[in-house]
Amino acid sequence: MLDLAENKLEGSLNATEFWKLRYLTSIDISMNDFGGHADMYFGPAMVYVNYSRNHFTSAGFKRFAGGMMSVVNLSNNLIDMEAVDFFRNVPVNVTELNLSNNTLRGAFPDSFPFLGKLTRFTIANNDMAGPIPWGLVNFTDLTVLDFSGNKLSQGIPPGIGYLKKLTVLNLSSNVLGSSIPGSIGRLECVLEILDLSNNDLVGRIPSELGELQETIVLLGGNSLTPPAPLGVCKIATVKDDQDLCPPEIKMLEEFYHSFKGPEWINSSYWLDESKSYCLWYGVVCDKKNVSITKLELGNNGLSGELGTRIMEIMSELTQLEGLDLNGNDINGTIPTEIATLSNLVELDLSHQTQGLTGEIPDGVSKLVHLSLLCLAGNKLDQGIPSAIGILDNLKVLNLSSNVLIQSIPTQLRRLQDTIEVLDLSNNKLEGRIPSELGDLQDGNDDF
């Protein structure tokens, strides 16, 4: 063993001198100032070579030399050469090859050498270009593959997902295109780090990646199509990515379970890992297929309570304009938190099987964009909130077939410029019809 590490040594090396040391098994000259050409020419017993953190400008192997060489570390030098020249004659028994932080350039050789015993291959932060060698999929003992910080292009070889011992796969900061192969999800039991960030990857994230729940997964800085599948959005390092995992996806999952989704009449594609939530039955999205604009789930067998928790999670749907849940079996009261759905234009909670109960919350009056408010066919009681009169976009107000009491508020006359349908029939309203409602004569009024 020869250890000369961190000694401020400088100059060039005479490889033939090392060749004479026939029984030398290990050499470490790291963290010095050696320069010139690093000739990997050693005696037959050499196993470990560490030339890292010097100033070597080129390096190479001799044919048939270094047959026992297992670990080669040439990282953090100034090696500036074509990759095809460097990889010529790499010893077939090498298990660890670290070439990071140099200037190796160009593409990997077309016929990449078969390094069947390779376990760790690091060539991060060089100037490598072209495709990732497909031959790597035959290196079945690989545990670490780090090609980050290069200019590698084209796609990720699907066969990487069959490297059953791979714990670290770092392909970040390249220009890799195409989609992420679903086969990577096969590494669920071994993969600890998957870094594909800052590339040009496109398309939907495959649902198979949702199997990597215990893996550090980094996908930012690509052009992937949102939203990510539900399972992927449960991965700790992905779930807070608002681009890939918008709040909509979490809200819809909880909405589905809260209203007994498995019992719905139609639940097509709901919670389907392979489908965007914009394709789920009753979900309408914007043109970008990201933000939910409507939930149209009327007459669909939903059951449960429209409670505070549901309102809290639905409040994250900041672009929601339509909520149609009519003709289901939603019970309980209308929570005051309904006011948090501030962009609602249409709200239809009519004709629930058991009937919504309690009063119409004053919060409804804060839904200033409402053009349709339909709460008919329930068991709502108390009076009609006078503040509804300030909803100056309201065209349809249907509160019929409830048990509303007290008198009709005169403030409803303020709706005269917009209201087209006003139905307060089949309630327990009392008193005289306010003369002010005569101003609504152009509408379709039913008292």
Side-chain angles (χ1 to χ4, degrees), residues 39 48 69 103 118 153 191 204 253 275 283 330 343 349 375 389:
D39 201 342
Y48 176 88
M69 201 180 304
T103 316
L118 196 62
S153 58
L191 196 62
R204 287 211 53 175
E253 182 180 19
K275 301 292 185 182
V283 179
I330 297 172
N343 283 316
L349 301 176
L375 304 176

Side-chain angles (χ1 to χ4, degrees), residues 174 196-201 219-224 241 243-244:
N174 282 282
L196 305 179
S197 62
N198 300 307
N199 278 284
D200 292 331
L201 296 168
L219 302 172
N222 285 287
S223 299
L224 296 165
D241 187 324
D243 292 326
L244 294 177

